[in-house]
Amino acid sequence: MMAWRMLRRKDVHTGLLNLAFRSDHGRTKHFASGTLGKLSQFVHGNGLQGAANCTVFKQSTIRNFHAGVYMLAWHQKKEDVVGLKAPKREKRVRKETRSQPPVEAPYVAPKPKLTKSAPDKIVEIFDGMTLRDLSKRSGAKINALQSILADLGERVESEFDSITIDLAELVGMELGVNIRRMHTGEGTVEPRPAVVTVMGHVDHGKTSLLDSLRQTSVAAKEAGGITQHIGAFVVEMQSGASITFLDTPGHAAFSAMRARGAAVTDIVVLVVAADDGVMPQTLEAMSHAKVANVPIVVAINKCDKSGADPERVRIQLGSEGLLLEDMGGDVQVVEISALSKLGLDKLEEALLLQAEIMDLKARTDGPAQAFVVEARVDRGRGPLATTIVKSGTLVSGQYIVVGAEWGRIRSLRDTVGEVTESAKPAMPVEIEGLRGLPMAGDDVVVVDSEERARMLSQGRKKKQEKDRLRKIDENMTEEAEIGEETPERVEMPIIVKADVQGSVQAVTDALRSLNSPQVFVNVVHVGVGPVSEHDIDLAQACRACIVGFNVRDPPSAITLGATQANIKILLHKVIYHLLEEMGRLIVEKAPGTAETQISGEAEVLNIFELKGRSKSKGPDIKIAGCRITDGRFSRTGTMRLLRSGDVVFEGPCSSLKREKQDADTLDKGTDCGLVIEDCDEYQVGDTIQCLEQVIRKPKFVSTQSGAVRIEC
């Protein structure tokens, strides 16, 4: 067997370790430091034996190599784990030094923590609800609700802790959802008087009926005997029971006010005149009562007149779907006469019977729940709100939030005008002490402190502003979509002033109903009270006219200033006259639409030709000798040549003469010579029509029910 010896030598130039094995016969095998595989094959293949200080294993691993430090290090580096590749080292990249300043990144707003705003979503809240209930109803996370409460100065640790209804409303407004307060009926429940609303058509005797019931004369104080705003009164019946009556106007412009009256009432008295029968606003009052789910008691008035026919009224009401007792229904019918006080005792019995059937009860203790019936501004007392308490007790000195306004109750006055300390359910009172004028129909909320009242008021105002801007954006989007199809409209700015808030809303709605494709009625400002200098300045700035409804005449200085500034002030006490005058102004300001009309017709009797004309006079022409058979002919009109009913030619008139004299217009029965520009196709018996462009103005239409509109 041939013996081998291992030799070791380090290359001077490369620094690598070179291995060599020399046999006894002088043969030499050289291996570089990177040829481990060949070395392994050589060891196994040649059966290396007797190598000094070298141990060979099956895996070709050399251990205890004599002076083999480099070999061991190289071997461990290459093959730490047999059969797996060693991970490659990532190449280190040197960071470049930037000489330019860093580029500023655009600001990215953080994601909102709250839920998405849902302006159409309504969340019902109640006093004592837990944070978990509010989270489920609103869709917001509990930690988001806790952060809102922390901003409000309230700390709620657990999701099962209860919060007040005021805090729940504040949180809901921050979330951007609509809030509906659900009042509990816990507490001492006692019977309460019925709230009765009197509805019906114009001049059917509603106010006269109330006058007879309370032995007062209110109709004499109204302009033209027409009620212009809601009145709330407590009437002591002969039986000792008291009933709260709401007198609502019957004109179509006050539809919204009647709707609010039906929302706070328990029973509706539908007054129908026996001589007129069922009218459009009678049906409208029925629909308001049905929507509010309020029972109806029909009072057929004016039964003592000569042309009265109560049976016809019953048939008309039955045909409209009102189930009367005479026809097997449950609606009571009473025949009365307000002037002669006929049948008032029967009406009283019917109302008390209906109230007894309904078993009207309300909570008397705890914070009050009330609604605004009317609001106005008094010169000495400030904003005043007439409210009806639905439940609880309203006490003088409490902090309240009415709609978006807040204040502290300075005094409470009943319908007689006397100061009272508290108001129980179904009792109308006038609240004094508000910071601003609320809207008719707003709810009254009693709060614990001034701070909480201020926060609720600010939150509601902010939400109203958001809703207003959102509605403006929606309207602008709709106008942009249909802007190409709709012609440009003339704007008519208007400032509305009235005596009470409900009348302001009703007059504003009535004026906006006069909008047409040609004139846009823009109500730039509304207010309660007489016309002031501020209104004159605002009208001068936006070139608006001022509409005053049921307000006193302005001072002479204000009237003189308006005259110098060319500002119209329209003062009216009856809604009919106001709408009629505004309708005439709108018709005058409307640009109108251009239409082509046939102003006259003529028959061609003869044809004349002018030949051999010089170049200065023009080419040869044909003249149609005509006789005007209808209307009149104008030199500026467009002529249309007809033959057997078909249009042969149409063009402008270049010459119109009568007996060699030029004429601008010619009437029926006149003979004339007519030349149509670039037309020489006349024949005897043809018909020539004269077409003129006319501006057609819109028309103001007033229906029998009192509704008005502009027809273009």
Side-chain angles (χ1 to χ4, degrees), residues 660-677:
K660 298 182 180 181
Q661 299 292 330
D662 292 333
D664 293 331
T665 59
L666 294 176
D667 296 329
K668 177 181 178 181
T670 306
D671 295 338
C672 63
L674 177 66
V675 178
I676 303 177
E677 188 175 336

Side-chain angles (χ1 to χ4, degrees), residues 387-436:
T387 63
I388 290 184
V389 182
K390 293 289 289 184
S391 62
T393 303
L394 194 64
V395 182
S396 179
Q398 290 179 332
Y399 288 98
I400 58 174
V401 178
V402 184
E405 305 295 338
W406 72 280
R408 186 178 183 182
I409 301 178
R410 189 182 304 120
S411 66
L412 294 173
R413 296 178 182 269
D414 55 12
T415 55
V416 186
E418 298 180 356
V419 178
T420 179
E421 292 296 327
S422 62
K424 293 189 177 298
M427 180 178 178
V429 289
E430 192 175 57
I431 298 177
E432 178 183 349
L434 295 175
R435 298 297 182 95

Side-chain angles (χ1 to χ4, degrees), residues 559-576:
T559 305
L560 180 61
T563 304
Q564 294 176 353
N566 196 17
I567 297 173
K568 291 184 178 180
I569 300 179
L570 309 178
L571 301 179
H572 289 279
K573 295 184 178 299
V574 179
I575 191 69
Y576 302 113

Side-chain angles (χ1 to χ4, degrees), residues 23 57 67 78 98 111 245 259 265 273 287 350 367 408 434 456 482 504 529 538 546 569 618 628 656 685 697:
S23 64
F57 298 92
K78 291 296 181 181
R98 302 192 178 197
K111 295 182 179 180
F245 281 93
T265 191
S287 64
R408 186 178 183 182
L434 295 175
L456 274 177
I482 62 176
V504 169
L538 181 59
I546 301 175
I569 300 179
I628 301 175
L656 180 65
K697 290 281 189 177

